[in-house]
Amino acid sequence: MAQTESPQPILSIRRLKKHFGHIEVLHAIDLDVQEGEVVAIIGASGSGKSTLLRCVNWLESPTDGEICFRGTLVSAANATTVRREIGMVFQRFNLFPHLSAVDNITLAPQRVLGQSGKESLTAALELLERVHLSDKAYSFPGELSGGQQQRLAIARALAMRPSLMLFDEPTSALDPELVGEVLEVMRSLAQEGRTMLVATHEMGFARDVADRVIFLEAGGIVEQGPPEQVLVNPRQERTREFLARVLDR
């Protein structure tokens, strides 16, 4: 029987390195992400999780290695074009404080995608309903809780109709009681088949939602696999030590 070829990954990373001066933050990262896959990246603060995501989105230019998105090699020359298809949600929301929720969402689709005001407004209101913020359409970020601001940031990223969503520790800046409302939205995106690369400290989310978990330390991948393997029965001693600390087990 002929073997069926695996589909081309939506994201393919080879030998990715990133240095800040003499400090090597990422070391020879190899990673493929398939369309529709949810990949959770775990690791201690400073392990390189955020830098990896920022290199994928070319907010940081790699020192060495290759990043291919949908079969296209990403470079400084085409990064702006590629970035239109990659949504990113940051730790600190990065909303425009002088714009209402609706205007935060409609700005990029109008300026980058050329959507009309009516088209972008209709889409924005639908997205606000999707993230349970319909009643906050004309509120400003300063009038919203941290959880509401992060849900607005997710809606803003979705407005560009991205093929890949990057989440850079999206709950780390939130009070504990607000974490659940953001994770609920992220779970719903995963259930819809969204391709997601998520740097997170939320082990429950990684266990329940991710298709694959990657443990990153000192800029390198120590272990990766299904959640039930990496989080429940890790093969590497370093992974076991990390989980023992974060899970108190």
Side-chain angles (χ1 to χ4, degrees):
M1 181 181 296
Q3 291 186 336
T4 302
E5 293 186 7
S6 299
Q8 184 182 59
I10 187 172
L11 177 68
S12 184
I13 298 172
R14 292 292 179 269
R15 304 176 307 279
L16 179 66
K17 296 183 180 181
K18 178 62 182 178
H19 295 178
F20 291 108
H22 297 294
I23 300 173
E24 185 178 60
V25 180
L26 295 177
H27 174 67
I29 297 287
D30 287 327
L31 175 64
D32 287 337
V33 178
Q34 298 294 335
E35 192 151 9
E37 188 178 21
V38 178
V39 179
I41 307 171
I42 64 172
S45 297
S47 60
K49 301 188 301 297
S50 295
T51 301
L52 174 57
L53 294 187
R54 291 177 68 85
C55 284
V56 169
N57 212 21
W58 217 260
L59 295 175
E60 297 285 355
S61 56
T63 302
D64 197 8
E66 296 182 347
I67 297 174
C68 288
F69 179 73
R70 289 198 175 283
T72 298
L73 183 65
V74 186
S75 66
N78 65 4
T80 301
T81 300
V82 171
R83 198 179 293 134
R84 295 178 183 180
E85 289 195 61
I86 303 177
M88 187 158 184
V89 178
F90 300 87
Q91 297 179 34
R92 294 286 176 178
F93 322 136
N94 286 14
L95 298 167
F96 296 109
H98 63 291
L99 297 180
S100 68
V102 158
D103 289 339
N104 263 280
I105 296 173
T106 59
L107 182 63
Q110 289 180 18
R111 292 191 177 181
V112 178
L113 301 181
Q115 290 183 4
S116 67
K118 181 178 180 181
E119 181 185 8
S120 62
L121 176 59
T122 299
L125 294 175
E126 290 175 352
L127 286 168
L128 286 169
E129 182 176 2
R130 187 174 179 182
V131 299
H132 313 300
L133 288 175
S134 295
D135 59 334
K136 302 295 184 181
Y138 296 98
S139 298
F140 290 84
E143 300 171 326
L144 304 177
S145 70
Q148 290 171 333
Q149 289 185 60
Q150 193 60 292
R151 283 184 280 147
L152 173 57
I154 293 173
R156 182 181 63 176
L158 290 172
M160 291 294 290
R161 303 169 184 168
S163 302
L164 171 65
M165 287 284 288
L166 308 177
F167 292 85
D168 184 10
E169 299 187 18
T171 61
S172 64
L174 301 179
D175 292 332
E177 64 268 21
L178 301 178
V179 168
E181 61 190 51
V182 174
L183 293 181
E184 178 186 352
V185 171
M186 294 173 63
R187 287 173 193 269
S188 70
L189 294 177
Q191 290 167 359
E192 294 169 6
R194 288 271 176 183
T195 310
M196 299 163 60
L197 193 55
V198 185
T200 184
H201 291 296
E202 301 293 336
M203 296 300 138
F205 175 86
R207 181 191 64 237
D208 297 340
V209 179
D211 299 297
R212 181 159 41 116
V213 175
I214 292 171
F215 173 49
L216 201 66
E217 183 178 67
I221 295 177
V222 174
E223 183 167 0
Q224 64 176 306
E228 58 269 21
Q229 178 225 302
V230 176
L231 299 179
V232 179
N233 190 27
R235 296 171 179 168
Q236 303 298 322
E237 178 61 28
R238 186 63 198 93
T239 312
R240 290 193 287 270
E241 292 173 356
F242 169 77
L243 292 173
R245 286 206 312 270
V246 299
L247 299 176
D248 292 325
R249 70 182 190 189

